[in-house]
């Protein structure tokens, strides 16, 4: 229902109903039709999106269980429940959100060359141990809907928790 193509058109990532209660992210190699599991879901992993530079596959996952107290029913619920995640496609790729220290001239050269149009990089994926390379975005648990990868950036949408009377 929400497939995503890699920039080189070689791979298709999609949400797969793993069980009656869970959905996982899978990747298909277009030329061969072979498929691989990328995630082992806790509940629902969905909305895959490739990084255009071929380094990451992003998705929205329900993997945290942080109950929220209900002050009327005196019970707990899971009204937030999701977060964006990234998985490195190559085993040698450093995990995202870890700062890398670079000399100033290298950083400025990268900015200048980013404006040039270049063909898509061939996307290579190391599937061995890929489910262990999943990293949560450093954002609070919430209600996240969509995610998209841009060059050196990620966009995602979230929406607030509202009551049924607040939806009109």
């Amino acid at each position: 229902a929400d497939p995503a193509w890699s920039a080189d058109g070689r791979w298709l990532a999609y949400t797969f109903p793993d069980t009656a209660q869970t959905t996982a992210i899978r990747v298909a190699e277009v030329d061969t039709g072979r498929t691989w599991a990328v995630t082992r879901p806790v509940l629902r992993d969905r909305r895959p999106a490739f990084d255009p530079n071929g380094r990451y596959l992003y998705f929205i996952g329900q993997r945290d269980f942080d109950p929220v107290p209900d002050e009327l029913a005196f019970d707990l619920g899971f009204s937030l429940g999701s977060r964006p995640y990234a998985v490195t496609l190559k085993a040698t790729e450093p995990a995202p959100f870890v700062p890398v220290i670079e000399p100033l001239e290298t950083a400025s050269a990268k900015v200048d060359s980013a404006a040039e149009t270049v063909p898509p990089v061939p996307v290579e994926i190391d599937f061995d141990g890929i489910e262990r390379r999943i990293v949560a975005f450093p954002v609070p648990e919430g209600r996240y809907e969509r995610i998209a990868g841009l060059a050196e950036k990620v966009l995602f949408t979230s929406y607030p928790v509202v009551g049924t009377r607040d939806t009109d």
Side-chain angles (χ1 to χ4, degrees), residues 28-51:
E29 186 176 29
V30 176
D31 291 343
T32 65
R34 292 182 61 198
T35 63
W36 292 268
V38 174
T39 67
R40 290 184 184 156
V42 175
L43 283 178
R44 290 173 199 89
D45 293 337
R46 59 192 174 85
R47 302 280 189 190
F50 279 97
D51 164 38

Side-chain angles (χ1 to χ4, degrees), residues 15-97:
T15 301
F16 179 78
D18 203 39
T19 69
Q21 293 81 28
T22 62
T23 57
I25 303 298
R26 294 187 66 86
V27 169
E29 186 176 29
V30 176
D31 291 343
T32 65
R34 292 182 61 198
T35 63
W36 292 268
V38 174
T39 67
R40 290 184 184 156
V42 175
L43 283 178
R44 290 173 199 89
D45 293 337
R46 59 192 174 85
R47 302 280 189 190
F50 279 97
D51 164 38
N53 294 327
R55 296 176 303 169
Y56 308 110
L57 179 65
Y58 307 115
F59 65 94
I60 304 295
Q62 291 178 317
R63 299 172 155 254
D64 296 329
F65 294 104
D66 187 10
V68 177
D70 181 317
E71 292 187 7
L72 295 178
F74 303 106
D75 202 351
L76 298 174
F78 299 93
S79 57
L80 301 174
S82 65
R83 178 186 321 267
Y85 290 85
V87 58
T88 55
L89 297 177
K90 296 286 288 176
T92 56
E93 180 71 37
F97 315 118

Side-chain angles (χ1 to χ4, degrees), residues 58-59 83-87 96-97 135-140 147 154-156:
Y58 307 115
F59 65 94
R83 178 186 321 267
Y85 290 85
V87 58
F97 315 118
V135 177
F137 277 50
V139 296
I147 190 162
V154 180
L155 302 175
F156 53 87

Side-chain angles (χ1 to χ4, degrees), residues 94-95 97-108 110:
F97 315 118
V98 176
V100 176
I101 299 172
E102 295 180 349
L104 290 176
E105 59 276 359
T106 303
S108 64
K110 277 187 174 182

